[in-house]
């Protein structure tokens, strides 16, 4: 246990220090006219630190002398070096922006005496707008944008290839808001749960035999509340639902045990619902009576069908994995009665931490998300943004001001209650 803890701390630390401002930390004194010293960092910040105020004299605002070219092409996997130079008193500190934010873990930078260097090991998702900012305590100046294009994708634009296989190109899902993605550098992990755990819930599904199918799902917290003479489903709890894009290409494993019992063969084994999309999985092979049958389902679009029997695209499956609302597993009766099984349910997931020793994931994408979005597939809204269920299947993340404006629009024409965020 302790070993695991130590290992996890070391790994976390390794991740945290990956993105580095390599500027040496040292105290730089400024000598006041009277001979005393104050820190260079307080020079020209609008406050007198020297008794005679000499630290606020002879200031001059930052001026950019050199900045990167307006367009730059970089090859994936190589190091891109950008330089910005600025003059001013005190010498400005050079900071960098990529699409308006601090560069990510693939970059290092250093700033000394008004000279700033950025170097980034370029990934496909690092195409974008780069700029530098020359900063003094009271003034900043930003360079114009350098548009960086990363070339060398094995697949065509908007597609990425699985780690280790050049043949299979998969379309970037990215919740429909980006075209830039690559195979995420993540490790495999899994979620495990006992089928008879107290955290498990149960559900009865009606409408599977209607044409077209119209599902009505009733959820029960305790198995004893499930009405008799129904064919119930397990309803998986937290961990297996909500944001699950990291499980794409992973495997779901569990066991089915049946005896000489009659059960509904036409009902699907797995029902996944998210963003108003329902996907069904049916195991067509015959179950063997009297022993436990191992089920293992690859989370791949080829294994699922829509409610109307149509094929499922990668976008359909990713849409559901972007936010699984309901995850149901069919229960099988044993000797004529249903009862939660004593076996476990395992679903693959992915993680940044490698100490589980299960290897790497191959088919999980990582996207360059626009403002307002986060998550490997841009499946979450950033802080300050809320989802509105419009525009795209997965909706869109809009800033709070947008929501307020929308609310005002409605509330001036009708009553306050007419606007729903849903
Ligand atoms: C960037 O700098 C590094 C180290 O200084 C060097 O190895 C690399 O070749 C440079 N990249 C380019 C594209 O000049
Ligand atoms: C990058 O800059 C160009 C030109 O200013 C702009 O059209 C584009 O939207 C910017 N891209 C991003 C991701 O900010
Ligand atoms: C689940 O992960 C654990 C380690 O965390 C591993 O020992 C186990 O074999 C994994 N199970 C499956 C089915 O992959
Ligand atoms: C859900 O999908 C169905 C059919 O695909 C459509 O008729 C319905 O309007 C959708 N509901 C919402 C809230 O998007
Ligand atoms: C279907 O069930 C059979 C027998 O139980 C099992 O061997 C097979 O792996 C299952 N197929 C899938 C895709 O789960
Ligand atoms: C199920 O019924 C069979 C006989 O029909 C019996 O041999 C078996 O022990 C029963 N199993 C359980 C779990 O009750």
């Amino acid at each position: 246990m302790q070993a695991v803890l130590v290992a996890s701390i070391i790994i976390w630390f390794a991740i945290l220090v990956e993105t580095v401002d390599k500027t040496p930390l040292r105290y730089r004194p400024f000598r006041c006219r009277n001979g005393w010293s104050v820190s260079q960092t307080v020079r020209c910040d609008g406050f007198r630190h020297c008794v005679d105020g000499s630290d606020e004299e002879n200031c001059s605002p930052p001026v950019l002398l050199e900045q990167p070219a307006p367009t730059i092409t970089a090859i994936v996997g190589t190091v891109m070096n950008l330089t910005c130079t600025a003059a001013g008193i005190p010498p400005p500190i050079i900071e960098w922006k990529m699409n308006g934010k601090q560069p990510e873990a693939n970059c290092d930078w250093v700033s000394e005496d008004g000279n700033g260097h950025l170097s980034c090991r370029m990934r496909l998702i690092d195409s974008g707008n780069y700029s530098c900012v020359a900063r003094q305590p009271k003034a900043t100046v930003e360079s114009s944008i350098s548009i960086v294009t990363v070339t060398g994708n094995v697949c065509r634009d908007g597609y990425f290839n699985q780690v280790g296989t050049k043949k299979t190109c998969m379309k970037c899902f990215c919740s429909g808001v980006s075209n830039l993605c690559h195979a995420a550098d993540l490790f495999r992990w899994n979620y495990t749960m006992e089928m008879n755990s107290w955290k498990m819930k149960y559900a009865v599904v009606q409408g599977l035999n209607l044409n077209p199918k119209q599902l009505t799902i009733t959820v029960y917290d305790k198995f004893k509340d499930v009405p008799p003479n129904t064919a119930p489903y397990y309803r998986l709890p937290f961990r297996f639902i909500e944001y699950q894009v990291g499980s794409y290409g992973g495997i779901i494993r569990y066991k089915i045990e049946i005896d000489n019992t009659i059960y509904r063969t036409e009902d699907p084994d797995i029902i996944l619902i998210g963003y108003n999309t329902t996907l069904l999985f049916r195991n067509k092979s015959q179950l063997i009576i009297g022993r436990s049958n191992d089920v293992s389902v690859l989370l791949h679009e080829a294994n699922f069908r829509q409610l109307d029997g149509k094929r499922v695209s990668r976008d359909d499956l990713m849409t559901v994995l972007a936010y699984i609302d309901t995850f149901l597993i069919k229960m099988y009766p044993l000797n004529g009665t249903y009862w939660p099984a004593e076996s476990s349910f395992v679903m693959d997931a992915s993680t940044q931490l490698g100490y589980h020793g299960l290897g790497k994931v191959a088919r999980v994408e990582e996207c360059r998300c626009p403002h307002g979005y986060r998550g490997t597939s841009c499946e979450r809204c950033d802080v300050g943004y809320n989802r509105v269920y419009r525009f795209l299947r997965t909706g869109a993340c809009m800033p709070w001001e947008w929501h307020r404006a929308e609310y005002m629009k409605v509330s001036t024409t009708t009553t306050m209650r007419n606007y729903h965020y849903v």
Side-chain angles (χ1 to χ4, degrees), residues 99 129 145 147:
N99 289 350
N129 295 342
I145 285 169
I147 300 174

Side-chain angles (χ1 to χ4, degrees), residues 8-278:
S8 71
I9 288 166
I10 290 168
I11 290 161
W12 266 116
F13 186 67
I15 287 169
L16 290 177
V17 297
E18 230 182 298
T19 213
V20 210
D21 179 349
K22 288 199 165 166
T23 308
L25 278 177
R26 65 174 102 98
Y27 176 77
R28 291 155 182 271
F30 170 74
R31 191 164 288 260
C32 303
R33 205 179 303 115
N34 67 4
W36 295 4
S37 284
V38 297
S39 168
Q40 233 345 315
T41 57
V42 300
R43 184 85 208 277
C44 300
D45 66 351
F47 299 97
R48 292 159 62 116
H49 292 82
C50 296
V51 180
D52 54 20
S54 52
D55 61 319
E56 296 300 316
E57 288 169 9
N58 300 324
C59 300
S60 79
V63 179
L64 279 170
L65 301 179
E66 188 195 340
Q67 60 177 53
T71 58
I72 294 167
T73 306
I75 300 163
V76 68
T78 63
V79 176
M80 177 184 77
N81 304 311
L82 302 184
T83 301
C84 264
T85 308
I89 299 174
I93 292 166
I94 308 288
E95 293 167 359
W96 294 90
K97 285 185 182 176
M98 192 271 166
N99 289 350
K101 292 186 191 162
Q102 180 172 298
E104 286 181 4
N106 60 313
C107 296
D108 290 336
W109 61 94
V110 60
S111 171
E112 272 195 286
D113 295 327
N115 293 304
H117 298 282
L118 175 76
S119 62
C120 305
R121 184 161 295 279
M122 300 304 276
R123 308 165 298 179
L124 287 172
I125 59 171
D126 297 320
S127 290
N129 295 342
Y130 289 72
S131 60
C132 67
V133 177
R135 182 181 301 284
Q136 284 178 345
K138 284 185 72 186
T140 58
V141 51
E142 184 166 352
S143 71
S144 49
I145 285 169
S146 299
I147 300 174
V148 174
T149 312
V150 182
T151 60
N153 191 359
V154 181
C155 307
R156 62 191 157 111
D157 282 358
Y159 285 72
F160 74 108
N161 68 315
Q162 242 169 278
V163 178
T165 44
K166 289 212 161 117
K167 277 181 274 176
T168 330
C169 288
M170 282 180 285
K171 190 168 166 284
C172 299
F173 165 65
C174 304
S175 302
V177 297
S178 172
N179 263 333
L180 267 187
C181 81
H182 67 173
D185 186 20
L186 295 172
F187 297 92
R188 202 152 68 79
W189 189 31
N190 63 49
Y191 301 135
T192 306
M193 185 178 172
E194 295 306 308
M195 293 297 225
N196 60 1
S197 160
W198 60 271
K199 291 181 205 149
M200 188 70 88
K201 295 192 178 182
Y202 304 89
V204 172
V205 183
Q206 284 161 308
L208 278 165
N209 47 357
L210 296 181
N211 197 5
K213 295 182 173 47
Q214 286 231 299
L215 303 192
T216 312
I217 296 168
T218 319
V219 177
Y220 301 92
D221 281 355
K222 298 268 182 300
F223 186 73
K224 64 176 172 55
D225 300 331
V226 177
N229 305 320
T230 54
Y233 277 77
Y234 296 102
R235 182 178 183 273
L236 292 168
F238 179 69
R239 280 233 170 233
F240 299 93
I241 58 167
E242 301 187 350
Y243 306 103
Q244 299 296 353
V245 284
S247 298
Y248 182 82
I251 294 174
I252 292 172
R253 294 181 188 82
Y254 65 104
K255 291 183 191 330
I256 299 173
E257 197 167 344
I258 48 161
D259 262 306
N260 215 346
T261 294
I262 297 158
Y263 58 89
R264 293 179 58 84
T265 47
E266 64 271 34
D267 288 354
D269 280 289
I270 299 176
I271 303 177
L272 281 178
I273 305 174
Y275 285 116
N276 195 27
T277 304
T278 302

Side-chain angles (χ1 to χ4, degrees), residues 275-278 306-307 389 392-393 422:
Y275 285 116
N276 195 27
T277 304
T278 302
Q306 314 237 20
L307 267 186
Y389 291 88
L392 296 167
R393 269 168 93 183
V422 193

Side-chain angles (χ1 to χ4, degrees), residues 160 163 182-186 360-366 376:
F160 74 108
V163 178
H182 67 173
D185 186 20
L186 295 172
K360 293 261 184 158
V361 296
R363 303 184 190 188
V364 176
E365 67 179 19
E366 180 179 14
T376 50

